[in-house]
Amino acid sequence: MARRLVSDDQALFRVVVIRKERRNNPDWERGNVASPRFLWDGPEYTTAYGPYNTVGAAHGQLTHHTTDAYGEPVKGVVSGHIEQATTTWKRV
């Protein structure tokens, strides 16, 4: 069964989240503050969520993925943006 998201010529939105993976630090020493156990410079992975009818719904999903449990942004580890698309119809 088809689902109706928007009417013709209205915008659709999706969230693109880019996440860096952590890797083990080979120089890690227990108890040494200057030597973190993990480094956040591993490969990047991109995931898209959506579609959403409104930019507000997409922004809420983006905030969910880019903030920590205390509401602070997770800088350098997760980033993202919102993309917009419109529906177009052509005769086939």
Side-chain angles (χ1 to χ4, degrees):
M1 179 168 104
R3 171 171 92 153
R4 183 173 178 247
L5 291 171
V6 294
S7 62
D8 297 345
D9 298 326
Q10 284 186 333
L12 291 173
F13 302 93
R14 76 175 183 171
V15 175
V16 178
V17 177
I18 303 145
R19 181 181 318 270
K20 283 189 179 180
E21 291 295 313
R22 69 181 187 176
R23 66 177 178 85
N24 287 323
N25 182 359
D27 300 323
W28 177 66
E29 299 173 11
R30 186 180 299 274
N32 185 353
V33 178
S35 170
R37 181 173 184 174
F38 299 107
L39 300 173
W40 291 97
D41 60 353
E44 288 186 349
Y45 296 100
T46 303
T47 308
Y49 299 94
Y52 300 99
N53 292 346
T54 63
V55 70
H59 190 269
Q61 183 73 298
L62 179 62
T63 302
H64 170 74
H65 286 284
T66 57
T67 57
D68 63 10
Y70 302 104
E72 296 294 321
V74 185
K75 296 179 182 173
V77 178
V78 180
S79 63
H81 59 274
I82 299 171
E83 295 180 345
Q84 177 180 351
T86 56
T87 57
T88 58
W89 296 94
K90 72 176 187 176
R91 194 174 195 164
V92 292

